[in-house]
Amino acid sequence: MFKVLVVDDEPFMIEGWKTMVDWHGCGYELCGTATDGEEAIASIKASSPDLVVTDIRMPVLDGLGLIRAMKEELGVSAKTVIVSGYSEFGYAQEALRYQVDRYVLKPLVAEEIHRVLLELAGPLEERRLAEASAGREELAAAAAAIVGVLKQGGAAAVAYANRLLGTDRQSRCRLLLAESTLGRAGGEALDSRLGSLMEAGFRQGLRAFAFEETPGQAGLLVLDEAEDGGEFEARLEEAATRQSWPLHGLALYCSGTACGLDSLPELLGQARELRRRAMFGRRAGVHLFRGARTLPEECRPQDVAARAEQLVSAIEAGDETAVRRSVASLLGLLASGDETGEWTAFAASHIRGELLRRFAALEADPAAGSEWTRRLLRESRPDAAEWSRETIEALCLRAASLLAERKSAPARSRAVAEAIAYLRAHVRDKIQLQALAERFGLSPVYFGQQFKRETGCCFNEYVHRLRIDEARKLLRRTDLKVSAIARTLGYHDTDYFTDKFKALTGELPSAYKNKRKGEGYADR
C-alpha cells in the first residue's frame, strides 16, 4: 500500500476524500488529513507519505507553498496532486514549475480520482523498488568498506569508510561478532538476529551496520554508542535473554569501545580473543570483553570448564554445601597467577551467563514476564566493580534459591495451558472469560482464580498484555494508523487503547512507532 496525505481546509471535502475514494482498491492507504499547509508539513514529517493531494487555496500556507516547502526545504520526493476549483492557466503554470504530477479540478469525480491514482501507482512502485535496491547497495557498500578497514587498514580505507558511514575520528565504535555453535546448520540469518537484538534492547538513534568478516560469522559495527560499558553490557544481556539467544545455539562476542574507524582492527582483535580463550568451550550466550587476560599456566581449560559445570550442577540441585565447595574449588584453581582478579571476574561472568541460560530454559510464559530472570540480573551485580569469593558465592546461593523456588511452583494445569495457547492464537478476537471457562467445562469464578494463580495476573490484564505485544509488532512492521491497530485488536475506543499501551510500555503508541522508525540497523 502507498500512503496518502490529503490537505484541504474544507471539512466536507475532507469527508468526500474519505468516503468517495476506494483507496485500498487502488493500492493506497489514507494515512492522514490536514487543513492547511503548515499542519500538512508536520504530518509529512511524521508519516512520510508517498502521495500528497492538496487543495490550492488554503489559509496560512497554500497548496503551492506547501509543495515548494516539500521540494526545497524538506527534500521530500512524494508524488503530488493539486486539486482546485479554479482552472486559471496561472495555477497550472505554477504547478508545473514545481513538477506537480497531476492537476485535478473540483468538483471531485470518483472515477477520475481512481484513474489518477492508478496512473501514479506504476511510477510509485518503480521508485519504491529503486529505493530498496539503492538501500541494499548502500548497505553492501558500507559492509565492504568495514571489511576493507579490517583487512587492509590504512588512511585511504578509513577515509572512504568515514564518507560512507558518516563517521569521524570522534565516533565511538564497538564490534559484535556472532556465530552458531551448531556449525553451518545453525548459521543462517545471523545478521537479522543481531538486528533483532539491537532493536530489542537499545536506545533510539544508535546505528549499526552488518558485515561478514569470515563465512559463517556475522559482524555488527555499532556506532554512536554513548552508554557506559556497564549499562551497555547489562542491556545486552537482558536483550539476549529476551531473544532466547542461549537457547538457539548462538554465541555473541562483544568488544570494548574506541573512537574512530581506525580502531576497528583492535576491536576485532578483542572479539576474536573472546573466541580464542575458550576456557569454557564455545558455549552459546553473550561474551563481553573486559581487557586482555592470560590463563594461568597451572590451569587447563578443560579443568576449569569441569569445575564450572560442577558448580552449576550444584546450584541446580539446590545443595548449599556442594555450592560452597564448588566455588572454593573453582576459585582455588584460578587463584594461581590471578593477582588482578581478572580471571575470577571472567569466571563469575561465565557462571552468571550459564545461570541465565538455565533460567531461560524454564521460561514457559513470556507474556507473564521473566521476573525471576530480572531478579537474578539485578541481584547478581555487586556494588563494587570487582568480584570476590563472597560475591560469587552469594550469587550462586541466591540462584540456587531462585531456581528451587521456580521449580517448586505447581505445574500449569491443562486448562490454563490450553487457554493461554488459545489466547495467543486468537489475540485479535473478542474473548471473554466466561466463554473460555465454558470451553473447558469450568465455572468462570474458579477458572479466573486458577488463571491468576498460575500466570500471576488476572484474565483481562493478561489479554491486554498479549494485545499490546501484538500492537507493538504492528507499529514496528506496518504503516497502520493507531486507530486502525486499536480496532484490529478489539479496542473500539482509541483513547482507551492508548492509555493501556502507555500503562504497559511507558510511552504513547505514536511515540513508540516514531522511535522504532528512527532506529536503524544494517538488515532493515
Side-chain angles (χ1 to χ4, degrees):
M1 292 286 180
F2 301 111
K3 295 186 293 183
V4 183
L5 174 69
V6 171
V7 189
D8 200 303
D9 63 327
E10 299 181 36
F12 76 90
M13 286 296 299
I14 291 290
E15 187 63 28
W17 282 109
K18 290 180 179 179
T19 57
M20 289 177 55
V21 179
D22 182 7
W23 296 106
H24 281 209
C26 295
Y28 295 79
E29 174 194 0
L30 184 60
C31 69
T33 60
T35 56
D36 61 58
E38 286 194 351
E39 183 182 342
I41 287 176
S43 297
I44 289 169
K45 291 179 179 178
S47 61
S48 301
D50 300 292
L51 173 64
V52 175
V53 179
T54 180
D55 189 17
I56 283 188
R57 289 198 172 182
M58 296 182 297
V60 185
L61 181 66
D62 65 16
L64 293 178
L66 168 62
I67 293 174
R68 180 172 58 251
M70 284 173 52
K71 303 286 187 180
E72 298 179 356
E73 298 173 18
L74 300 181
V76 173
S77 60
K79 295 288 185 180
T80 51
V81 173
I82 283 287
V83 182
S84 176
Y86 305 89
S87 57
E88 291 92 336
F89 182 67
Y91 283 111
Q93 269 190 323
E94 189 75 3
L96 291 173
R97 191 157 70 89
Y98 289 107
Q99 297 181 328
V100 172
D101 295 279
R102 293 291 188 278
Y103 190 99
V104 178
L105 294 177
K106 295 179 182 179
L108 299 183
V109 178
E111 291 77 6
E112 181 182 0
I113 301 302
H114 293 159
R115 184 174 66 254
V116 169
L117 293 176
L118 292 173
E119 288 174 355
L120 292 176
L124 282 171
E125 182 63 25
E126 290 178 6
R127 187 175 69 187
R128 178 174 290 182
L129 292 174
E131 289 175 350
S133 176
R136 288 192 297 269
E137 290 176 3
E138 288 178 4
L139 292 176
I146 294 168
V147 173
V149 172
L150 292 173
K151 291 190 173 181
Q152 302 167 12
V158 170
Y160 175 67
N162 277 332
R163 287 197 300 273
L164 280 180
L165 306 183
T167 52
D168 55 35
R169 293 180 61 84
Q170 303 305 315
S171 298
R172 288 170 58 85
C173 308
R174 189 188 292 266
L175 274 184
L176 285 74
L177 295 181
E179 65 181 353
S180 169
T181 60
L182 306 176
R184 290 189 178 275
E188 66 275 11
L190 286 181
D191 56 346
S192 64
R193 293 199 182 192
L194 278 174
S196 298
L197 187 71
M198 301 306 291
E199 181 183 18
F202 293 91
R203 63 180 174 83
Q204 180 182 8
L206 181 144
R207 296 186 297 146
F209 296 88
F211 63 93
E212 185 181 78
E213 199 271 332
T214 57
Q217 187 179 82
L220 198 71
L221 168 61
V222 181
L223 296 174
D224 303 329
E225 198 284 287
E227 295 158 341
D228 62 39
E231 183 180 357
F232 181 88
E233 292 172 5
R235 294 181 68 179
L236 182 62
E237 288 179 345
E238 289 189 59
T241 299
R242 288 198 301 272
Q243 294 287 308
S244 298
W245 268 57
L247 303 182
H248 289 75
L250 293 171
L252 180 66
Y253 307 100
C254 178
S255 77
T257 59
C259 291
L261 296 184
D262 53 356
S263 66
L264 294 190
E266 177 187 353
L267 298 181
L268 180 61
Q270 294 175 5
R272 285 176 170 175
E273 182 182 336
L274 289 174
R275 292 185 66 240
R276 285 197 300 267
R277 59 185 190 215
M279 65 182 253
F280 301 118
R282 287 177 60 190
R283 296 290 183 88
V286 179
H287 305 269
L288 302 164
F289 185 81
R290 293 189 175 87
R293 304 178 182 92
T294 302
L295 189 65
E297 293 181 2
E298 296 81 357
C299 300
R300 294 189 305 166
Q302 57 267 38
D303 294 336
V304 177
R307 295 194 191 191
E309 189 58 38
Q310 287 174 0
L311 173 55
V312 174
S313 297
I315 293 170
E316 286 189 304
D319 188 335
E320 288 192 13
T321 302
V323 167
R324 297 180 191 275
R325 186 171 57 246
S326 297
V327 169
S329 175
L330 175 61
L331 298 188
L333 180 62
L334 292 172
S336 174
D338 191 26
E339 297 177 357
T340 65
E342 289 180 331
W343 275 109
T344 300
F346 187 50
S349 175
H350 167 75
I351 293 166
R352 189 166 174 268
E354 282 297 294
L355 294 176
L356 289 175
R357 185 174 68 83
R358 289 336 196 249
F359 274 41
L362 292 175
E363 181 69 68
D365 180 17
S370 313
E371 178 57 29
W372 35 282
T373 301
R374 290 194 291 270
R375 284 163 66 188
L376 182 64
L377 283 166
R378 184 171 59 249
E379 297 174 12
S380 66
R381 189 177 292 276
D383 294 334
E386 299 177 355
W387 288 93
S388 66
R389 172 173 172 171
E390 289 73 23
T391 55
I392 293 175
E393 189 173 273
L395 160 67
C396 295
L397 291 174
R398 181 59 180 149
S401 173
L402 288 173
L403 281 169
E405 174 188 318
R406 181 65 178 173
K407 289 179 178 179
S408 65
R412 190 187 310 280
S413 69
R414 180 184 61 82
V416 173
E418 291 185 11
I420 287 174
Y422 182 86
L423 289 173
R424 288 183 175 282
H426 299 82
V427 65
R428 302 188 183 192
D429 298 343
K430 184 178 181 180
I431 304 171
Q432 295 183 335
L433 172 65
Q434 182 173 352
L436 203 55
E438 291 175 356
R439 183 183 182 90
F440 299 106
L442 301 172
S443 77
V445 174
Y446 172 79
F447 179 69
Q449 293 172 343
Q450 187 75 358
F451 191 94
K452 183 173 182 179
R453 185 181 303 114
E454 297 188 17
T455 64
C457 63
C458 66
F459 179 83
N460 287 336
E461 185 62 21
Y462 190 92
V463 172
H464 283 308
R465 291 185 182 187
L466 287 179
R467 286 177 173 172
I468 296 306
D469 281 345
E470 185 70 11
R472 292 167 68 184
K473 294 178 184 176
L474 292 173
L475 287 168
R476 291 197 307 267
R477 301 174 183 174
T478 73
D479 292 321
L480 290 174
K481 295 174 64 175
V482 172
S483 58
I485 292 176
R487 290 194 301 272
T488 297
L489 296 175
Y491 293 96
H492 299 295
D493 187 332
T494 303
D495 290 338
Y496 180 67
F497 164 74
T498 298
D499 290 342
K500 273 295 178 185
F501 190 96
K502 184 175 182 180
L504 291 174
T505 67
E507 55 189 337
L508 295 172
S510 56
Y512 180 89
K513 184 179 185 70
N514 290 336
K515 184 168 73 173
R516 290 305 181 273
K517 287 179 69 175
E519 290 179 354
Y521 52 78
D523 66 331
R524 180 170 279 184

